[in-house]
Structures are given as C-alpha cells and as structure tokens.
Amino acid sequence: MELLDNLALGFSTALLVQNVLYCFVGVLLGTAVGVLPGIGPTATVAMLLPITFSFEPVTALIMLAGIYYGAQYGGSTTAILINLPGESSAAVTALDGHEMARQGRAGPALAAAAIGSFVAGTVATVALAAAAPPLASVALKFGPADYFSLVLFGLIVSIALARGTALKALAMIALGVLLGTVGQDIYTGTPRFVFEQRELYGGIDFVSVAVGLFGVAEILRNLENEQTRTAIVSRVTNLWPTREDRRRIVAPILRGTGLGAALGVLPGGGHVLASFTSYAVEKRVSKRPQEFGRGAIEGVAGPESANNAAAQTSFIPLLTLGLPAHPVMALMIGAFIVHGIAPGPNVINDEPALFWGLIASMWIGNVLLLLLNLPLIGLWVRMLRIPYQVLFPMIILFAAIGTYSLGFNAYDVYAIAFFGILGYVLIKCGCEPAPLLLGFVLGPLLEENLRRALIISRGDPSVFLTRPISAALLVLALAALVVAVLPAIRQRRAVVFAEED
C-alpha cells in the first residue's frame, strides 16, 4: 500500500501541466537528438543543462530525463531506415532493422522497436519504483568507508565498459579525479592547483567540462569526418506487425527487458552492453540463427527492449546511492546539486514529491514517445538533411550563451573551448572522455569519504577492511579490475566496440 501511495504522489506531481509540458519537450528533443548522428544524449543534456536552472527542480529533472530516454527511442529510427544509428546503443538495431527496411518491411521493424521500447520502459519503471526504496534504506546504513569503497568499485567497473584499452580508461578516470581536486581543500580551505587564478578557487565548473568534452569535442570530430547522408526514404506503410511477427517478438521483448533492467545499473555503458548482449542471446536461442543479419525481427525487438530498459534502471544508483551509472547520470547529479539537492538515499525522504514525480514521469514519457515516434517518422528523417555546417554552429552558440548565463563570467566560455579541444585531442588519441567525466564527478566524493573515514578511525587504514560492506566492495573492485585486463575480456570489448563504430 505504501508503494501505491508513493506512486499516487508521484503521478500527482508528474501530471501537473508544466511538468507534462516539459516532459513532452524533453522526449521530443531527445528523439530528435537520437535521430541526428554525432550529437547524442550526453552532449544534449550537457548543453541544455543551463536552461533548466531557472525551472523548479522536479520540472528540470523530468525534462532532462526525458531527453535521455527519448534519445534511446530516436536512435532506432535512422538505424532502421538509412543504416545510420543516431545513438551508440542503436548500432546493433541497424544490423537487422535496415535489412528489413531494404526488404520493404520498415513498418514492422519500426513498430517492433517502438513496442519493445514501450514495454521495456514500462516494466523497468515499475522495477525502479519497487527497487529504489529498499536500496535507499540499505544505503542509509553506509558509513564513509563503505561509500569510499562503493565509489571506487563504480569507477573500476566503468573501466570494463569503456572503449579502448583498460589502461587508457584508467588514465581518464585518474585525470578526472585530479581535475576534481582543483580548488580549495574541503577541510582546510587551502588552494590546490589554482595557479593563482581567482576563478579556479571554487573548482572547475561542471557544466563547462561537460559541454566542452561532450558537446564541442563531438562537434569537432563530426566536422572532421562528415558522413554523406542520404535521407531519401519511401513512404513507410503497414506499420502494424503481422500475427507471425507479433508471435516472434514477444519472447525477445521479455528477455531484452530483463537483461536491460539488470545491466542498466552497471557503471559505464550499461545500455550499450545491454543491447549487444540481447542481440547475442537472441541469436543463440533462436531456431533461425541464419536469419540474423538478414532481417530477423527478433534482432530488432530484443536489443531495443534491452536498450530502453537499461535507460530507465540506470536511474536506480543515481536516486538511491547518489552514484552515476554513466555520463548522462553524472549530468543529472550536476542538476541535483545546482538546485540545492544532495543526490543520494536521503532524497526519497527529504524530497518525496521530486523522487516519485521523476519516476512517474518516466511512464508518462514512454506513452508520449509511443505516440510521437511512429507518426513523425518522416520529420525525423528530414532532419538529417540539415547540413552540419549550419546545425553545429547553432548548437555551440546556444551552449555558450547558456553556460555564460549561469554566472555571467566569460571564464566559463573559455573553459568550454579548452575542454572542447582537450576532448577532441583525447578522442584522436583513442581515449574516451566518459570515464574522465565520471572521475571528475565522483572524485570529490571519493576524497571526502576517504578522509572522513580516516579521521573517524584516527588514521587507521584497516577500517576499509574491517567493515564487512567496505571489504566486500573492495574485493569486487579488485575482481572487476582483474577481469577488465584479462585477454579474453579485452578481445570481447574490442569486438563489441568495433561493431558499434
């Protein structure tokens, strides 16, 4: 009954006119961004983050969440129609989805993706609502040593899910943690790495880092390698799948939903891993494995379901532990902090309307996406005709204006340019910026709990091994590090991300 009361509170918040409106705006923008290759939800959330600072906290978070899971929907549209995934996790959908489109079955492929996404999103939202309260209760029992080990475990696991070598991912995390220490010491107030720059005494601005690394850097990369995009798509007909299609997609949708819900909580790229894992599972259990890669509808329904379920459950560690599962969730933490809310297990008690309103809005967003995706297919494809030379300068302009408006300080705009160039250089060197952002966000939390635990234990480092939760998490972190560098795992990661690219 308590869960039903909480959901009633959530829907009463989410169904307010302004919240429904901004949920619609969020999923609309997210779908558009998912369609356009080279931008992605991380860059979009980073660049629109400044706009939401004048909103009510729950409204801002509902809109930003809508952008994220809307992008998971939108990425499948162009993957199916023109074999050009708009979002990384939609890459596997193109394998069979585009083959179906070439055979004149684009309608059933799009419908399978939309239905699978809606079912998975709905089930994952229920899972989020059911799992969040008990996890938050457990998290309240965590001490500083436990939190330190948990954050360390999250950072180590993200290495296994990052592109490139494990060493490069580890270097990116270390760089992010180092950048997070810039500013005044949290206990003594002593300036660190400020180089006599007054603007650095308060630390490096999170929005500038995010917009630079994921907005400007991605734009520079795409301008360098602009793809030839042909968006000539004949009218899509027969959207509703046949009875045989419906029979074949039921099991993949259910399996994909389960896989995505479980893998979505993993730090790093859980949604990407979920879609590829679902495809591999469907191919293995299918009675027609020879059809995969040649237009098997299971190869569309399963990965799309896994992808969208993972997008929803990635909010679980954010809302219960205050830890981001991937860069978009790190941006959501930034939104929480900017609005004066400390993300973590106390949110469910301190801000119940926000907590449950955000969860309820996800179901509303999934309904809106189901209504938006199929009728507006022609619009999404026509968006691909906008030249990069026109689209990207406008994006950078709005991002710079939004960031400048936060503190009316030109230094923040210069920081965008700096981190944009840094991000571009890192990409060219084969280093993924995502672990850097996770390290930047979690670094201060790591340091604070490390020092707090040592203060409480009077400098005795054994406190991290004598507390059962902390010791268990450190063992898991060590195991994750070993697994990440094993030759077989390295080879598998290389195959997955080669397919994604």
Side-chain angles (χ1 to χ4, degrees):
M1 287 301 295
E2 184 181 358
L3 178 59
L4 294 178
D5 292 339
N6 288 328
L7 288 174
L9 172 64
F11 278 105
S12 67
T13 302
L15 288 172
L16 293 174
V17 175
Q18 70 269 25
N19 291 338
V20 173
L21 174 62
Y22 282 106
C23 182
F24 175 79
V25 171
V27 297
L28 184 67
L29 286 172
T31 304
V33 165
V35 166
L36 291 171
I39 303 177
T42 306
T44 307
V45 172
M47 290 184 285
L48 292 180
L49 192 58
I51 298 174
T52 65
F53 291 164
S54 60
F55 297 172
E56 289 293 318
V58 65
T59 304
L61 292 168
I62 284 173
M63 178 178 167
L64 293 173
I67 291 171
Y68 172 54
Y69 54 80
Q72 310 306 316
Y73 266 69
S76 64
T77 301
T78 45
I80 291 170
L81 294 179
I82 57 175
N83 200 26
L84 191 61
E87 217 279 316
S88 59
S89 52
V92 70
T93 306
L95 298 177
D96 284 282
H98 186 60
E99 285 300 315
M100 290 182 67
R102 291 179 62 185
Q103 297 165 16
R105 303 189 68 233
L110 291 165
I115 294 168
S117 297
F118 175 75
V119 172
T122 301
V123 172
T125 301
V126 173
L128 171 58
L135 277 175
S137 299
V138 171
L140 288 172
K141 300 176 182 177
F142 277 32
D146 304 322
Y147 257 112
F148 168 81
S149 300
L150 179 65
V151 174
L152 184 65
F153 172 63
L155 289 174
I156 296 299
V157 170
S158 69
I159 293 174
L161 298 179
R163 301 186 199 185
T165 64
L167 183 61
K168 287 181 178 178
L170 184 61
M172 289 298 95
I173 288 175
L175 178 59
V177 172
L178 185 64
L179 290 173
T181 63
V182 172
Q184 293 178 300
D185 185 279
I186 55 176
Y187 287 107
T188 66
T190 305
R192 302 182 299 188
F193 307 116
V194 297
F195 305 106
E196 300 183 358
Q197 296 295 314
R198 178 176 56 83
E199 291 84 356
L200 291 177
Y201 274 70
I204 299 174
D205 183 65
F206 170 79
V207 176
S208 299
V209 174
V211 173
L213 286 178
F214 289 96
V216 177
E218 282 296 314
I219 286 171
L220 292 175
R221 183 178 68 85
N222 280 281
L223 286 175
E224 181 187 50
N225 301 310
E226 181 173 1
Q227 303 176 34
T228 302
R229 296 171 292 170
T230 56
I232 303 173
V233 180
S234 60
R235 183 179 178 86
V236 177
T237 57
N238 300 323
L239 279 174
W240 193 246
T242 64
R243 178 179 297 180
E244 174 65 11
D245 288 334
R246 293 197 297 272
R247 186 188 64 79
R248 290 175 61 177
I249 66 176
V250 171
I253 287 175
L254 296 177
R255 282 191 291 263
T257 299
L259 279 170
L263 295 174
V265 299
L266 293 178
H271 60 298
V272 178
L273 181 66
S275 59
F276 278 93
T277 303
S278 174
Y279 188 84
V281 168
E282 293 308 320
K283 188 173 182 178
R284 186 175 295 272
V285 303
S286 176
K287 296 178 181 178
R288 312 175 185 86
Q290 70 280 1
E291 291 186 13
F292 280 76
R294 299 175 182 174
I297 196 167
E298 296 93 335
V300 176
E304 278 301 302
S305 302
N307 172 28
N308 283 273
Q312 309 284 357
T313 57
S314 63
F315 282 85
I316 291 176
L318 169 71
L319 293 174
T320 58
L321 302 172
L323 298 178
H326 50 75
V328 175
M329 294 300 107
L331 293 167
M332 295 291 287
I333 282 185
F336 270 96
I337 294 171
V338 165
H339 285 285
I341 300 169
N346 289 315
V347 173
I348 191 171
N349 296 320
D350 297 344
E351 301 282 348
L354 182 147
F355 183 93
W356 293 104
L358 179 59
I359 291 176
S361 75
M362 294 178 187
W363 187 83
I364 296 171
N366 275 287
V367 173
L368 292 172
L369 283 166
L370 188 64
L371 299 176
L372 274 176
N373 248 27
L374 297 180
L376 297 181
I377 287 171
L379 172 64
W380 304 134
V381 176
R382 280 195 291 273
M383 286 179 60
L384 290 168
R385 295 174 180 165
I386 303 174
Y388 278 151
Q389 292 87 342
V390 174
L391 182 66
F392 285 169
M394 291 173 60
I395 294 172
I396 292 179
L397 174 64
F398 286 119
I401 292 172
T403 305
Y404 177 77
S405 67
L406 296 181
F408 297 99
N409 190 343
Y411 186 85
D412 293 333
V413 180
Y414 299 147
I416 289 177
F418 172 79
F419 283 105
I421 295 171
L422 175 64
Y424 176 72
V425 171
L426 291 175
I427 291 171
K428 297 297 289 183
C429 293
C431 299
E432 190 181 7
L436 190 155
L437 186 65
L438 290 175
F440 179 74
V441 171
L442 295 178
L445 187 62
L446 190 76
E447 180 193 7
E448 180 182 357
N449 285 288
L450 171 65
R451 294 176 67 175
R452 187 180 294 171
L454 291 175
I455 289 171
I456 293 172
S457 66
R458 298 184 179 181
D460 182 7
S462 66
V463 67
F464 298 104
L465 299 176
T466 55
R467 290 184 61 91
I469 296 176
S470 175
L473 289 168
L474 287 177
V475 170
L476 290 173
L478 181 62
L481 185 60
V482 171
V483 167
V485 299
L486 285 176
I489 300 298
R490 286 207 310 269
Q491 183 179 3
R492 178 62 189 151
R493 287 167 68 244
V495 170
V496 166
F497 289 114
E499 288 177 352
E500 179 187 327
D501 294 336

